[in-house]
Amino acid sequence: MAIQPSYGNPIARRHWRDTLDQEVPFGSEEYAATLSGEQRDALLRIHPTESARFWGATSVQDKNMARLRMGDVVLFTGQNLVRGIGEVGLTFRNAEFADAMWTPDPDKGSWRNVYSLLSFRHTEIPYSEIWDLPSFNAGDNFMGLRVLEGDKADEILQGLGIGTVTEARRKLARDAEVANAIATGTRVVPVEGVHTSTAAYRRDEREIQVLRAEALLVNEYKATLTGVEVTRLRTPSGITDLHVTGPDGTEVIEAKSSGDHIHVRAALAQLLDYAPHSPLPADRLSALFPVRPAAKDITLLHRYGIDCLYRLTPHTFERIVAPDEARMYMRKIWAGVGIS
């Protein structure tokens, strides 16, 4: 994935207006004449309407741009916000095509490293939500194109709640592989052996998903906390929504966008997965919801010693505390004591 400064000066904002706020009709005579036959064919395979959004970078970023692949997520940043999120489509180098869209930089030249976007969504996510993630620092203003891989990329995707169209298609392809193997009595291919052909991608009306409900719920609850240290903890199992340390001990909190049973069950599973990785043994696990879950679901949480937190009114939350005996019994299990 990449963090792409794109709105911090008048030139960038003009580029945004011309090729992110609207699609470029690359099939029109003005643009088609600048594309090689191979580039035009490749664009048509993934953008059959002959139009797409585009971004580009000068030759200074040649090495970084060579690392981008179809389906990679790009955060478009500027003025202390992630202003848009997209998925990389086709990447190619073509100064003539770039110059037809954007005036070359007087010092750095053409924005020749071009990429189309499979999907794009306008957002207004403050930098502070990235700074809260374990691998990032407060005050980082993300100057210059930054390409992230591995854990750091996964951390942003999970931490900001980004779900890509490409990943959704991979999951559908995986489901189809498993269903076909079962139906035909053949072996299920290990997940690393499943490859979705990028040539099979066809653009539809779906946008990239940016799931903000949980983040907003967490931020509102976090604002009610005083006298404690509040962070997010990266574990081998994922990133906690909140990791709270204070006079009453250590608490791990997982938030969900709904109080429905499926979300309660997911919160339960994640909390039990995260807890053994807390640097200090967890004294309390809590599931946070925007509404009060059903009584049977609160009982389910309490069975495992987990508190239920829910939003009662704006900026006011209620805690339904798990029975002491259940929490005391489960604390060794949360800590992984005696479990190999």
Side-chain angles (χ1 to χ4, degrees):
M1 71 163 293
I3 300 177
Q4 173 73 72
S6 52
Y7 207 81
N9 59 60
I11 292 174
R13 290 193 287 275
R14 185 165 62 249
H15 290 183
W16 183 292
R17 181 196 65 204
D18 293 342
T19 64
L20 287 183
D21 275 342
Q22 60 186 343
E23 296 189 346
V24 175
F26 64 82
S28 67
E29 183 177 350
E30 176 186 2
Y31 299 106
T34 68
L35 293 165
S36 70
E38 181 181 357
Q39 289 167 350
R40 187 170 188 277
D41 289 345
L43 282 169
L44 283 172
R45 281 196 293 272
I46 59 175
H47 304 290
T49 61
E50 299 191 352
S51 66
R53 290 179 170 85
F54 289 91
W55 199 255
T58 64
S59 60
V60 173
Q61 299 293 349
D62 281 359
K63 288 185 178 179
N64 272 331
M65 292 298 297
R67 296 165 61 192
L68 288 184
R69 298 289 182 269
M70 181 178 287
D72 283 352
V73 170
V74 182
L75 307 185
F76 293 94
T77 61
Q79 299 180 338
N80 298 312
L81 292 171
V82 178
R83 310 191 71 93
I85 302 177
E87 284 180 84
V88 173
L90 184 69
T91 61
F92 58 99
R93 188 169 294 166
N94 184 323
E96 189 178 359
F97 180 71
D99 295 349
M101 292 188 290
W102 312 297
T103 302
D105 184 275
D107 299 318
K108 299 176 183 177
S110 174
W111 307 89
R112 64 180 191 169
N113 292 292
V114 178
Y115 56 95
S116 70
L117 294 172
L118 297 175
S119 59
F120 179 78
R121 181 166 181 171
H122 289 89
T123 60
E124 290 190 0
I125 302 174
Y127 286 172
S128 58
E129 291 196 26
I130 303 179
W131 298 342
D132 284 344
L133 298 174
S135 298
F136 294 85
N137 299 315
D140 187 341
N141 286 318
F142 309 112
M143 304 299 290
L145 174 64
R146 194 178 305 182
V147 178
L148 306 177
E149 297 173 335
D151 289 344
K152 235 178 177 183
D154 291 341
E155 190 171 302
I156 285 188
L157 296 180
Q158 183 184 347
L160 298 186
I162 299 171
T164 67
V165 173
T166 300
E167 184 57 32
R169 289 181 174 274
R170 287 193 184 114
K171 289 178 180 177
L172 288 173
R174 178 59 179 166
D175 287 349
E177 290 276 350
V178 172
N180 182 65
I182 293 171
T184 59
T186 57
R187 185 174 69 91
V188 176
V189 179
V191 67
E192 62 271 16
V194 176
H195 301 284
T196 304
S197 170
T198 55
Y201 182 90
R202 289 293 182 272
R203 178 173 162 269
D204 59 23
E205 295 305 314
R206 289 182 298 173
E207 289 185 319
I208 192 168
Q209 293 182 347
V210 185
L211 307 177
R212 299 291 297 144
E214 290 175 10
L216 296 174
L217 180 66
V218 167
N219 286 341
E220 187 176 75
Y221 178 72
K222 181 179 174 182
T224 69
L225 300 176
T226 58
V228 294
E229 179 183 356
V230 184
T231 60
R232 298 188 72 176
L233 180 67
R234 185 169 73 183
T235 77
S237 310
I239 303 171
T240 65
D241 283 323
L242 290 174
H243 188 263
V244 182
T245 306
D248 295 329
T250 299
E251 180 180 16
V252 179
I253 299 174
E254 177 64 22
K256 291 298 169 195
S257 60
S258 166
D260 292 348
H261 175 69
I262 190 170
H263 291 88
V264 173
R265 189 172 62 178
L268 167 63
Q270 285 175 268
L271 286 165
L272 294 178
D273 206 5
Y274 294 152
H277 304 291
S278 177
L280 296 173
D283 299 289
R284 190 179 296 274
L285 302 185
S286 301
L288 174 63
F289 305 100
V291 296
R292 180 177 178 134
K296 64 181 179 61
D297 291 321
I298 296 172
T299 299
L300 174 64
L301 293 172
H302 284 181
R303 187 178 304 139
Y304 294 90
I306 296 172
D307 288 3
C308 176
L309 280 166
Y310 69 95
R311 187 176 190 261
L312 188 62
T313 60
H315 311 292
T316 304
F317 294 81
E318 184 163 303
R319 180 186 295 271
I320 306 175
V321 179
D324 286 340
E325 59 271 24
R327 182 166 55 253
M328 295 303 294
Y329 176 81
M330 290 296 298
R331 281 178 63 183
K332 288 186 178 180
I333 297 175
W334 298 347
V337 175
I339 299 175
S340 57

